[in-house]
Amino acid sequence: MSRKANRGNRCPHCYMKNSLCICEFLLQIETQTLVTVLMHKRETYTTTNTARIATSILKNSEILLRGVQEEPLLQERVFRSHYTPILLYPSEKSTPLKKEIFKGQKIQLIVPDGSWRQTRKFSKREPYLDKIPHVHLEPSKPSLFFLRRKIKPDGVSTMEAIARALGILESPTVQEKLEEVFLIHIERTLKSRGQKLSDKMAYHT
């Protein structure tokens, strides 16, 4: 189960416990790809959320909240001019993400963020998302997101998905840098629970 942030004992930026703060590792990365995270409002103060960590690193990124009644997620709020929007989501009509398909285009990578149950409703409730290309990641290494119960065996966290997508659209170096911080985040969160990453990975393999 995810845990909600106790603001008095946590870094206001990375939401980790103050003694385990990871802000020193959140070094900025420049990308041509614009990453737009559509975050379900319930994820806002969830300490295990990884999209917040990813966007803290990526200069060309943003988070838009979904499910806030006073601020509906209208098309004009989501799509950015001069970018080609694509939705990173394994829908029935999605195709494998390949750099050559979008060669010469400035890509806006739109990434739903929330539980599987929440994210699968995004394109149905925001019809404009159903009209843009849907892409998915081809099978790769298993997820190392040990902080929540998995619903889908091949599922990955939002930060892992962003890292792998940018590894395709940008470079393997961008992916590696994001994954390094992701592992630090996982390791320190497990430490706060009295668990070890090495034990999880041994079981994982």
Side-chain angles (χ1 to χ4, degrees):
M1 297 292 290
S2 61
R3 303 184 180 188
K4 305 299 180 181
N6 179 341
R7 297 186 188 182
N9 189 37
R10 292 184 181 273
C11 170
H13 187 59
C14 70
Y15 283 29
M16 298 291 293
K17 289 185 177 179
N18 289 325
S19 59
L20 299 172
C21 174
I22 63 170
C23 287
E24 64 180 294
F25 302 105
L26 304 184
L27 304 179
Q28 297 286 280
I29 299 175
E30 293 272 11
T31 60
Q32 291 296 314
T33 303
L34 167 61
V35 175
T36 299
V37 174
L38 304 184
M39 180 185 287
H40 192 279
K41 65 178 182 179
R42 292 183 181 177
E43 290 289 318
T44 307
Y45 296 111
T46 303
T47 61
T48 55
N49 182 276
T50 61
R52 186 170 50 246
I53 303 297
T55 54
S56 294
I57 298 171
L58 297 168
K59 279 190 174 182
N60 197 16
S61 68
E62 60 187 352
I63 291 177
L64 300 177
L65 292 183
R66 191 196 173 284
V68 180
Q69 189 172 4
E70 299 79 15
E71 295 185 60
L73 204 58
L74 302 177
Q75 178 174 332
E76 51 267 29
R77 286 190 61 213
V78 176
F79 294 161
R80 298 288 178 255
S81 59
H82 309 301
Y83 283 92
T84 299
I86 61 175
L87 183 71
L88 183 62
Y89 187 76
S91 65
E92 293 180 357
K93 71 172 191 175
S94 67
T95 58
L97 176 60
K98 296 183 183 297
K99 187 173 185 176
E100 55 267 25
I101 297 176
F102 302 102
K103 188 175 181 180
Q105 301 178 59
K106 291 181 67 176
I107 297 300
Q108 180 185 12
L109 185 70
I110 300 174
V111 186
D113 179 53
S115 69
W116 181 254
R117 183 178 180 182
Q118 291 163 350
T119 56
R120 70 183 179 182
K121 299 177 182 177
F122 277 26
S123 61
K124 292 181 180 179
R125 295 185 176 176
E126 315 296 345
Y128 56 86
L129 293 176
D130 201 42
K131 297 177 182 178
I132 63 176
H134 291 197
V135 297
H136 63 261
L137 300 168
E138 295 190 282
S140 182
K141 56 189 177 182
S143 170
L144 296 180
F145 191 54
F146 303 117
L147 306 183
R148 301 190 195 180
R149 181 172 62 89
K150 273 191 178 184
I151 301 298
K152 289 174 65 66
D154 57 346
V156 297
S157 70
T158 302
M159 187 168 180
E160 286 174 301
I162 291 172
R164 295 179 190 189
L166 292 180
I168 297 169
L169 295 171
E170 297 282 333
S171 73
T173 301
V174 173
Q175 178 177 349
E176 289 166 8
K177 288 180 178 179
L178 285 168
E179 289 179 339
E180 285 174 5
V181 179
F182 173 76
L183 277 179
I184 293 170
H185 169 61
I186 298 300
E187 184 175 31
R188 294 197 177 188
T189 302
L190 289 173
K191 183 178 180 180
S192 72
R193 300 179 182 181
Q195 300 172 330
K196 293 182 179 179
L197 178 60
S198 57
D199 293 341
K200 294 283 186 179
M201 294 189 70
Y203 177 79
H204 188 59
T205 55

